Structure formats: structure tokens, C-alpha cells
Amino acid sequence: MDFAVEVERLNKFYGKFHALKDVSFNVNSGEIYGLIGPNGAGKTTTLRIIATLLSPSSGVVKVFGMNVVNDADKVRRIISYLPEEAGAYKYLTGYEYLNFMASLYVKDKAEVKKLIEEAELICGLNGRLKDKIGTYSKGMLRRLLVARSLMIRPKLAILDEPTAGLDVIHSQYVRRIIKDYAKRNNVTMIISSHNMLEVEYLCDRVALIHEGRIILEGSPSELKNKFSASNLEEVFSKVVKLA
Amino acid sequence: MHSVLIVILKKEVKEMLRDPKILIGMIIAPVLIMGVMSGVMNFVMSSAKEAVLNPNVIIVDYDNSLLSNVVTSSLTSSSGGKVMVIGDMSVSKAIELALKEDFFIVMVIPKGFGYNVSIGRRAIVELYTVMKSLSISEGGASSMPSSIIEFLNSEIVRERIREVAPNIDPEVFLKPISRVEYSVVKGKVINVPPQTVFSVVMSQSVFIPIIIMIIFITAMQFASTSIALEKEYKTLETLLTLPVSRFTILLAKLMSSVMLAVLGSVSFMFAYMYYYTSVTSFGLPTINLSLSDIGLTMTPIGLLLTGLTLFLSMVSSLVLALLIAVFAEDVRSAQTLVGYLYFLMIIPMMVSMFTDVSSLPMLLQIPLYLIPYTYTLASPRAALLENYGFLVIGIVYMVVFSIAVLYIASKFFKSEKVLTAKISFRRSRR
Ligand SMILES: Nc1ncnc2c1ncn2[C@@H]1O[C@H](COP(=O)(O)OP(=O)(O)OP(=O)(O)O)[C@@H](O)[C@H]1O
Ligand SMILES: [Mg+2]
């Protein structure tokens, strides 16, 4: 009950394919937890199960004590999920998109406005929010979507590769936003990433998934010490080669 | 839940109205198509009518007798077109002239025409009809030569009768029997021949189903596309993690598609009314009458039930389209899949065009009555004939059908299959 997220012996089958094998981990409240691993390791599958999109084949997943299967509706009220490669409605303006999303969480007009103001701060798109989303670049879209997922002050934010496909400047911007926001609002986050720099910068603890199993877990510094590596990238390649 | 539905519906409607494809496909195209159609019809009909009423005729009169002069002058005075009378020109030259100068008929009165008639022998008139385009207007005018002959025959007979019996109306000899036709519709006798009743009903029961089908198809494409687009633009995953029930999402999509279909129907109706009045304006005999003119009127109840049937068949088809779209991976597969649903429309349409479903063998009736469109197509006729029981059965069936399909769709929409079940046409093609 003290954990923000509890994952216990989670298994997932896609037909006959065993995508997650007895995955277990816990995330403390207020923690930024990183999932790393090679392509196809099972990161997105894990995040989608926590986000109530997929159901576990076996095992238990709880978010703030609520089961993601039985209490899916309650879980959805306190989480926000940023899918990898997510899009937005291209005929809406950025502002309308935020307004739409905010109105699903709060009823009062003034409250909706407050959430949108928060999002404006997060995304930093300023005047471009008045333009149709169809005219945005990939980086602008990602910033809008990050703002969308954080403005509602979720208790748990699930971000699947938040900076994938962004240039250095946009990546840094988004990373800084996420870190600032988490600190300011004491939000728990689970983040997956292929960028070890990003993971080191953001995450309090990291789990390395390989072929559907967690093979390593710890804080970035612990892991570096354990493998006497200078950065997480080295740890990653050493462990994945061993496995 | 209620306010959330409105929030989502607002978003759906905004997207819908801003998508130029939808605006063009649903509102502008129908008006345009109908406009072009009525324009073409207008043109064809008016030129056909002109050719029928006013054929240009060259008369080559080799006979130059008293009778042939009567013939040429009566034709000249009764025809609205150009009539040119020539005495000394070969037939081939006259035809050449007709081709060049836009004459439709070359009529040749051979030598001895007047003499033959005067001694009681059959005389001959040669008619050459110039077919330049083989178009509808020429087709309409092709009966012209025989009516000229008929006209000449009866003129000559009348002349003879007047000589023999000057005190009797020659028409009594020409047409001793004349007919007065009535039709019995819904047990009531109306003062209109049955062919007219039939052609009025047919012109409406062929045209309107086609319109309905076009509206339905467009709305179904829209409904399935609106879900498929969420997958294609990768917005579905986000949508499904929001604190909104999946049923609400489906319902919002259904409602926006219904709104679009109603909007499309209204624009079609206006276009149809425009078309209808512009065609009637030059008096096509079949469409000149409306259903009420021939005694076929709908009671308010009949009208209500027909409207409800139409609305519910719209809802049933949209629900089906949504169900299918839940499985489609992208827009293209959604549209291909929805395309298969058209068979469900075309089959009852074909059947109802040629026969009455209730007159088919039981084994064929059952599958047909399981298709909602069967009721759609049969409803105007049933309402006109005050067969309300049938309409009510259809309405009840379609309500059950829609709820069942919506239930199944939301069942699948709730499960993870909406994200993992994929029917893609790219993959299967390799
Ligand atoms: N809908 C699906 N049907 C079948 N197999 C799937 C499906 N989704 C994922 N998989 C498989 O499950 C495994 C894990 O996929 P997942 O997307 O979780 O990996 P990932 O760690 O997020 O990879 P990446 O870093 O490339 O995003 C992969 O082998 C993938 O092919
Ligand atoms: Mg992934």
C-alpha cells in the first residue's frame, strides 16, 4: 500500500508469444522510475498494462493500491499515459486540444482554465497553441503531449520514450520540464527510454528489461558501481551481452 | 458521464466540420451531383421534346397532285419545325441537304400518289429519318414518321367519310370505342390510368433508395473512419486511458455520425426538391404527378413511422460500421471492410426493385428480413398502403439490432482487442 506502483509476477502473452516473464518491481511514491532495455524487450507492454490498456495474462499490478484490472476506471482517474509515437487531433488547435483533455478531468470552467495555463507553461508553445495541430513539427507535438499528460496533475505519470525522435534542444527542454514538474508536484513517474543520458538525468531508480525479464534493478549510481562503468550505457551493453 | 459525453461529442463534431473531405463528400457533393444531374436531364429532355414536337422535314413532291398539295400544306401548317417543299431534286441530293442543314426527316411523295388514292389503290410515301447521333432525343423523335403517316391516313379517311356521310362525325367511324381508365388503389377508385400510378411510384421508389444508399455509405465511411483515424494518428491509446467510459466514446462517435448523416440527408433533400421541381417544370408526364395527386398519401402516423424507420436504419448501419472499425488497423482497411456492408444494402435493394419481399419463398424471406435495409426500402410502400404492423415490427427489430451491435462493439472496445486485434490489408498482401 505504501508503493505507488506494485508489479508482481506479471506475465503477458501475445497469442503464444511470451512477452513478459514474471516481471516484478515496485515504485515508491514521488519516485521517477526508469525502464530500459533493447528494442522488443517488453517496456511498452509493461507500461500499457500499468496504464490499463492491456490486461495481464497473470500476475497483479496495482497503482496506489488499486488493481489495474478490477479498478481500471479508478486508476484512469489518477494516471496519465503518454504513448510512444502518440499523435493528436490535427484539425484541433493546440489550445482546443488542451481544453478538450482538461474538460475530461475537471468540470468547472475556471479549473479548466487553470489546467490549460499550467499546460501553456509546460509546453512553451506560446502563440502556436492557436494553430491547428496538423501544422506542428514532431518536437512541438511532443511538447504539447507532454504538457497534456502533466497538466492534469496525475498521481502517476507513465511516459513511454518521452523524447524519442526529438532533436537535442527539444529533448533537453522536455527532459527539464519533466524533472522540474516531478520535483515541484511530487508526482510519481515511470519512464521508458533508450537514451541512457536521459535515464541517468531523470531517474531515481532503473530496471533493465531483456527479453521480457527484469535482469537488473537499482539507482544509476549503484549500477555504475556494480559494473565499474563510467555511465549507464556501458552497464547496458555489458549486461545485455552477458544475458 | 453526461457532461463528458458532451465534451467528446464537441470534439468529434469539431473534427468533422473541419475536415474538408467530409464537408465535400457529405454536403457539397450531393448538391453538386444533383445539380449536374438535373441540368443534364433538363437539357436532354428539352432537346428531345423539341425534336419530337418540331421535326424539320424536307418534302420532295414528285407527284404535285391536288392530294399531295393537301398533304404538304397540312404538314406545313401543323408542324412547329421547318418544312421545306421541293419538286425537282433526287432523293440522294435531298438527304445530303438534310444532313447539311439539320433536317430530321426526308419525305418523298412518288409520282402517281394522288392518282392511286383517287382510284382506291394504296399509295406509298417514303420517309427517310436522319439518325446522326443515335441519342435519346433522336430516339424520341424516331416515332415521328409513323405519326406523320397516321396523321395523313386519318386526314384522308376523314375526307372520304365527309364525302359519303356529310352529317356524321367522322370520329365515330375512325374510333368507335374510346377508353376511360381508372385505377383502384387502397380500395379507392382514382381517375388515373394504372401505368401512371405505377410510373409515379417507381420513379420515387427507385430514386429515393439510391439517395438513401449514398447518404448511408458516406456516413458509414465517416463513422468507421473516425475510429480508424484514432488508430492511424495514434490518439486511441491516449483516449482509452482517459477517465471516460469506452461506451461513452463509442456513443459520441455514433452520435456525431448520426448528426452527419442527418445533415447529409437534409442537403440531399434540398437538392432532390430542386431536381424534382426543375424536371417537372417541363412536364414529363410520369413525374408531373405527385403521390398525393394519385391518391397515395401518407397519414401523419405513416409519415412518422417511415421517418423513424429511416432514422433507425441509419443508426443500425452506423453501429455496424463502428463495430467493423474497431477491428480495422487503419483507415484503408476500415473502408474496405465497410465496403462489404454495401452488399447488405444492394441485395434488398435489387430484390425490392423487382418484387415484393413478402412474395418470395420463406427461405429467402428470413435472411432478407434480418437485414435492416429491407425495412428501409419497404417502409414507404408499407406506409402508403397503411401497413403499420410491418413498420412497427421493422422499428422494433432495428432497435434490438442496434442495441445488440452497439453492445458487441463496446464489449470489444472494452477489451484489449481494440489495440491488438488487427485486420490489415497490407499485411495479408505481403
Ligand atoms: N500487439 C502485439 N501482438 C503481438 N506481439 C506483440 C504485440 N505488441 C508487442 N508485441 C511483441 O512483444 C514484444 C515486446 O514489445 P514491446 O513493444 O513491449 O517492446 P519495447 O521494449 O517497448 O520495444 P521498443 O524499445 O522497440 O519500443 C516484442 O517482441 C513485440 O514484437
Ligand atoms: Mg516501446
Side-chain angles (χ1 to χ4, degrees):
Chain A
M1 185 62 227
D2 294 324
F3 292 115
V5 179
E6 295 166 74
V7 177
E8 221 185 289
R9 300 193 58 132
L10 174 63
N11 284 277
K12 179 67 185 174
F13 288 89
Y14 290 113
K16 282 196 176 132
F17 181 73
H18 200 171
L20 294 181
K21 299 160 187 159
D22 275 337
V23 169
S24 301
F25 64 90
N26 296 318
V27 180
N28 297 312
S29 184
E31 192 174 39
I32 301 185
Y33 192 86
L35 283 183
I36 59 175
N39 290 126
K43 303 180 294 293
T44 298
T45 304
T46 309
L47 296 185
R48 281 175 153 197
I49 291 173
I50 300 172
T52 75
L53 285 173
L54 301 181
S55 43
S57 303
S58 74
V60 177
V61 177
K62 286 184 181 169
V63 175
F64 289 97
M66 293 179 286
N67 192 304
V68 293
V69 178
N70 302 329
D71 302 319
D73 291 337
K74 283 186 203 153
V75 171
R76 284 179 198 138
R77 290 217 69 89
I78 59 164
I79 63 165
S80 75
Y81 173 56
L82 175 67
E84 59 184 347
E85 300 173 342
Y89 305 104
K90 64 174 183 176
Y91 290 117
L92 300 187
T93 66
Y95 182 79
E96 285 169 335
Y97 179 71
L98 293 173
N99 188 51
F100 163 61
M101 288 294 179
S103 307
L104 295 177
Y105 288 88
V106 292
K107 298 239 144 46
D108 190 57
K109 273 228 166 76
E111 278 184 80
V112 169
K113 214 178 145 212
K114 255 203 313 217
L115 294 192
I116 294 173
E117 276 163 11
E118 176 86 48
E120 280 175 322
L121 276 178
I122 296 171
C123 71
L125 286 170
N126 304 323
R128 291 302 305 271
L129 278 178
K130 289 202 183 75
D131 296 339
K132 299 257 167 69
I133 292 171
T135 67
Y136 287 12
S137 75
K138 209 198 273 179
M140 291 165 66
L141 176 64
R142 204 64 183 160
R143 276 155 67 173
L144 180 75
L145 293 176
V146 169
R148 189 287 295 169
S149 50
L150 297 183
M151 73 174 175
I152 57 154
R153 292 172 196 256
K155 287 179 82 174
L156 171 69
I158 304 159
L159 311 177
D160 199 350
E161 302 188 29
T163 60
L166 303 191
D167 67 28
V168 178
I169 308 291
H170 274 96
S171 301
Q172 280 177 345
Y173 180 91
V174 169
R175 236 171 261 152
R176 216 174 43 240
I177 285 173
I178 292 172
K179 185 146 191 168
D180 285 355
Y181 189 87
K183 266 194 205 146
R184 248 192 309 138
N185 298 299
N186 193 35
V187 175
T188 310
M189 291 190 181
I190 303 184
I191 292 173
S192 89
S193 180
H194 286 292
N195 186 327
M196 294 306 129
L197 226 72
E198 174 170 300
V199 174
E200 255 187 280
Y201 171 77
L202 283 176
C203 299
D204 302 311
R205 275 191 313 138
V206 181
L208 201 160
I209 302 189
H210 186 51
E211 290 175 352
R213 265 183 237 282
I214 293 194
I215 54 174
L216 200 64
E217 194 189 26
S219 72
S221 50
E222 273 170 24
L223 296 183
K224 278 187 287 188
N225 283 340
K226 191 171 167 190
F227 288 85
S228 44
S230 57
N231 56 40
L232 269 187
E233 212 153 285
E234 268 178 52
V235 176
F236 184 96
S237 39
K238 275 185 183 168
V239 174
V240 170
K241 262 179 216 150
L242 279 177
Chain B
M1 137 93 201
H2 191 64
S3 68
V4 165
L5 177 64
I6 290 172
V7 169
I8 298 183
L9 188 59
K10 253 193 205 161
K11 169 227 140 198
E12 297 290 339
V13 171
K14 248 184 218 165
E15 278 193 290
M16 172 174 101
L17 294 180
R18 285 182 192 170
D19 189 341
K21 287 187 294 279
I22 287 167
L23 208 68
I24 291 170
M26 213 57 190
I27 321 279
I28 298 172
V31 176
L32 230 62
I33 290 170
M34 295 290 255
V36 169
M37 243 165 89
S38 70
V40 169
M41 287 291 271
N42 262 334
F43 179 74
V44 169
M45 292 298 171
S46 61
S47 58
K49 201 167 141 184
E50 191 145 296
V52 170
L53 296 182
N54 313 311
N56 298 334
V57 182
I58 296 179
I59 302 176
V60 187
D61 185 1
Y62 293 133
D63 192 42
N64 202 12
S65 62
L66 193 69
L67 186 65
S68 75
N69 284 338
V70 170
V71 165
T72 49
S73 63
S74 75
L75 263 182
T76 310
S77 61
S78 68
S79 166
K82 255 194 298 179
V83 177
M84 186 192 260
V85 185
I86 304 167
D88 49 354
M89 187 185 266
S90 69
V91 174
S92 55
K93 276 265 160 60
I95 290 172
E96 254 173 56
L97 183 68
L99 277 169
K100 222 177 4 192
E101 307 254 315
D102 216 23
F103 283 89
F104 188 59
I105 292 169
V106 176
M107 180 169 139
V108 179
I109 305 178
K111 226 172 169 44
F113 170 79
Y115 174 72
N116 278 337
V117 172
S118 67
I119 62 160
R121 237 194 268 160
R122 295 187 93 174
I124 285 172
V125 165
E126 292 165 11
L127 290 157
Y128 298 85
T129 305
V130 181
M131 313 287 277
K132 263 192 210 156
S133 60
L134 300 175
S135 64
I136 290 176
S137 66
E138 279 187 0
S142 62
S143 63
M144 214 47 225
S146 57
S147 46
I148 290 177
I149 299 299
E150 236 165 74
F151 172 73
L152 296 180
N153 273 333
S154 56
E155 280 301 284
I156 293 168
V157 172
R158 271 192 202 95
E159 217 29 63
R160 281 285 166 86
I161 292 169
R162 276 189 213 106
E163 282 166 21
V164 179
N167 300 326
I168 298 175
D169 181 6
E171 300 306 316
V172 176
F173 288 101
L174 279 171
K175 286 177 188 162
I177 299 174
S178 64
R179 60 179 178 183
V180 183
E181 285 190 81
Y182 300 96
S183 305
V184 183
V185 180
K186 286 202 287 185
K188 264 181 279 175
V189 177
I190 42 174
N191 194 0
V192 168
Q195 300 100 295
T196 313
V197 174
F198 181 71
S199 61
V200 170
V201 173
M202 269 320 268
S203 71
Q204 312 224 345
S205 66
V206 168
F207 203 66
I208 291 173
I210 291 175
I211 297 173
I212 291 173
M213 216 173 91
I214 295 171
I215 294 174
F216 279 24
I217 287 173
T218 318
M220 281 160 75
Q221 289 292 6
F222 168 76
S224 65
T225 303
S226 82
I227 286 187
L229 270 181
E230 299 262 9
K231 291 190 187 182
E232 203 165 299
Y233 291 148
K234 304 243 177 1
T235 50
L236 186 64
E237 281 178 69
T238 310
L239 194 65
L240 296 183
T241 58
L242 301 175
V244 182
S245 83
R246 311 259 164 117
F247 185 77
T248 307
I249 296 172
L250 270 188
L251 199 63
K253 294 214 178 275
L254 176 65
M255 283 164 77
S256 64
S257 326
V258 169
M259 273 161 78
L260 182 73
V262 170
L263 213 68
S265 311
V266 170
S267 92
F268 252 116
M269 234 161 63
F270 277 112
Y272 177 69
M273 266 152 64
Y274 168 76
Y275 167 82
Y276 189 85
T277 48
S278 67
V279 171
T280 6
S281 65
F282 44 57
L284 259 185
T286 48
I287 312 184
N288 209 355
L289 285 166
S290 72
L291 289 170
S292 57
D293 286 341
I294 56 172
L296 286 174
T297 44
M298 283 194 197
T299 59
I301 295 173
L303 213 60
L304 184 82
L305 291 177
T306 312
L308 213 59
T309 304
L310 215 70
F311 181 78
L312 284 171
S313 41
M314 200 133 89
V315 172
S316 343
S317 46
L318 291 175
V319 167
L320 264 183
L322 286 178
L323 172 66
I324 275 189
V326 166
F327 294 100
E329 188 177 14
D330 51 25
V331 172
R332 201 153 50 111
S333 12
Q335 293 188 339
T336 313
L337 284 172
V338 166
Y340 295 130
L341 290 180
Y342 302 159
F343 286 108
L344 288 187
M345 282 188 209
I346 291 168
I347 292 167
M349 194 164 137
M350 293 303 230
V351 172
S352 71
M353 243 183 221
F354 295 112
T355 177
D356 196 41
V357 177
S358 57
S359 64
L360 291 172
M362 207 54 179
L363 222 64
L364 287 175
Q365 273 191 45
I366 292 169
L368 276 171
Y369 279 126
L370 287 176
I371 304 174
Y373 304 104
T374 304
Y375 302 95
T376 323
L377 294 168
S379 69
R381 232 182 296 169
L384 288 172
L385 298 173
E386 290 175 21
N387 188 1
Y388 299 143
F390 174 80
L391 291 175
V392 170
I393 289 172
I395 287 168
V396 170
Y397 173 69
M398 284 191 286
V399 168
V400 172
F401 180 90
S402 302
I403 292 174
V405 176
L406 193 64
Y407 177 78
I408 295 169
S410 74
K411 206 68 190 170
F412 278 111
F413 209 50
K414 268 179 196 155
S415 77
E416 65 175 50
K417 284 200 182 63
V418 65
L419 289 175
T420 55
K422 286 169 181 173
I423 302 182
S424 162
F425 290 90
R426 259 176 241 148
R427 190 175 300 167
S428 62
R429 224 180 283 134
R430 247 167 257 179

